[in-house]
Amino acid sequence: MIPQDLHSDRLSPVFAALADPTRRAILARLSSGEASVTELSEPFKMSLPAISKHLKVLERAGLITRGREAQWRPCKLDAGPLKDASDWVEHYRRFWEASLDRLDDYLKELQRKEKQNESPQ
Amino acid sequence: MNHPNNAVTGEDFIISRTFNAPRDLVWKVWTEPAHIGKWMNPFGGEMSFAKMDFRSGGMAHYYMATPDGGKMWGLVKYLEIAQPEKVVQIQSFADAEGNIISHPMSATWPKEMHSTAAFTEQDGKTTITITWRPYNATEVEQQTFDGARPGMTQGWTGSLDQLEVYLKEMQA
């Protein structure tokens, strides 16, 4: 459940990118398809340079890619790192859920034994 | 498995669970090393305490055996123990010598987590609510926690379901 692998360096910029609500909203918009910087800036009342800054953070984290060919350089979601981040969080949660599942079983076992000891031979 | 009472409120990460057992028993099993070793290792393997000083201001140093044959060491500093209501502690990953180390899977995950386990009893059932937040976190550690936290319950996009669907398709 806790593989000692390469996640650490790759995930840190992803979590940092996801810490910002504007960037999360940009990712959500991109999940329905490619968009230009202008299109992405529309819902936010933000300047293009401000949006570009957010896009750079997302790009560095590997969460989006920018088209090279088209003049409007569309942004595209790359869900790979997002899935890694999601898996990591899932591990963290599952770790505790698994302990609590085992606690539940253990409590049942203890109470069953207690009852057996109380009942007459 | 679905535990609907797990939620993120404010800045914390919370897990809650109700057990069909009286609080005195749950407290005992939660706090006594001989009992803890029987359930706390999520891998189901061995768990053993190198040190256990269960009192406010005390600490514990333990390991859990992992499926790959390794040992995952942890360190706990007990800040407050209020029997049978709550245990407040600082939780860290550690090495065998008891030095605090980074999370094995994320170098920027907060090295110290403030964790409160609260115990309430109703009708013979006991609810444990565990709350986590970063402790003494650097800016990067806090950012990592802030980035991970929304994903802990509702996905990073909150009400925007499309991304969830997309991720599910990816995993299919």
Side-chain angles (χ1 to χ4, degrees):
Chain A
M1 222 180 310
I2 306 251
Q4 311 259 346
D5 61 13
L6 30 95
H7 280 280
S8 49
D9 293 329
R10 216 150 53 98
L11 272 185
S12 304
V14 175
F15 282 131
L18 290 169
D20 181 88
T22 302
R23 292 196 286 269
R24 293 202 295 271
I26 289 174
L27 290 178
R29 162 66 187 82
L30 290 175
S31 68
S32 61
E34 297 183 356
S36 69
V37 180
T38 315
E39 283 169 329
L40 287 174
S41 70
E42 275 160 15
F44 295 112
K45 293 180 186 151
M46 259 185 212
S47 68
L48 286 182
I51 288 292
S52 288
K53 229 180 210 174
H54 283 306
L55 293 177
K56 269 190 192 126
V57 176
L58 290 170
E59 201 176 3
R60 267 202 301 271
L63 287 162
I64 63 166
T65 51
R66 310 279 309 267
R68 298 282 163 214
E69 312 81 25
Q71 206 171 10
W72 54 290
R73 299 198 59 203
C75 300
K76 201 176 161 219
L77 180 68
D78 185 347
L82 201 56
K83 190 184 171 309
D84 291 344
S86 162
D87 286 351
W88 191 89
V89 168
E90 197 49 37
H91 280 138
Y92 196 85
R93 157 182 298 295
R94 228 181 291 154
F95 191 87
W96 283 97
E97 297 286 10
S99 289
L100 295 176
D101 287 346
R102 298 191 65 228
L103 175 57
D104 197 27
D105 291 343
Y106 184 57
L107 283 167
K108 279 180 191 146
E109 189 192 317
L110 284 181
Q111 290 180 104
R112 204 167 42 232
K113 278 185 190 157
E114 216 168 88
K115 255 191 201 140
Q116 274 171 2
N117 290 342
E118 276 168 14
S119 57
Q121 297 300 309
Chain B
M1 215 178 328
N2 191 22
H3 300 288
N5 47 354
N6 293 345
V8 168
T9 52
E11 305 198 333
D12 300 335
F13 173 42
I14 298 174
I15 285 184
S16 178
R17 186 78 74 94
T18 300
F19 300 93
N20 195 6
R23 181 163 68 172
D24 286 345
L25 178 63
V26 175
W27 175 270
K28 192 177 156 79
V29 165
W30 188 271
T31 58
E32 292 179 11
H35 286 297
I36 299 171
K38 301 275 192 204
W39 62 267
M40 196 175 265
N41 185 341
F43 309 113
E46 188 195 359
M47 176 177 179
S48 181
F49 287 86
K51 192 176 172 184
M52 174 54 146
D53 183 11
F54 189 69
R55 58 178 175 89
S56 301
M59 53 94 75
H61 183 214
Y62 60 88
Y63 71 81
M64 294 178 182
T66 55
D68 60 6
K71 286 179 180 173
M72 201 175 73
W73 287 88
L75 194 73
V76 169
K77 293 172 199 162
Y78 296 107
L79 298 183
E80 187 192 346
I81 292 165
Q83 186 175 354
E85 277 109 27
K86 67 173 173 179
V87 179
V88 185
Q89 64 189 41
I90 308 296
Q91 177 100 36
S92 310
F93 284 90
D95 61 19
E97 281 73 49
N99 303 303
I100 290 173
I101 60 165
S102 298
H103 193 291
M105 275 176 71
S106 169
T108 59
W109 187 255
K111 279 196 238 350
E112 293 182 285
M113 293 290 276
H114 184 283
S115 155
T116 302
F119 303 74
T120 54
E121 186 184 281
Q122 196 174 9
D123 304 327
K125 293 182 180 184
T126 304
T127 299
I128 303 179
T129 305
I130 318 167
T131 311
W132 289 273
R133 70 182 67 126
Y135 182 78
N136 271 341
T138 63
E139 198 180 329
V140 176
E141 287 178 348
Q142 183 66 47
Q143 244 184 10
T144 301
F145 182 79
D146 288 345
R149 192 184 54 225
M152 284 175 162
T153 48
Q154 59 199 16
W156 279 278
T157 55
S159 59
L160 298 153
D161 298 331
Q162 280 165 323
L163 194 56
E164 296 297 312
V165 173
Y166 185 72
L167 279 173
K168 280 205 185 96
E169 282 168 6
M170 289 264 315
Q171 290 168 62

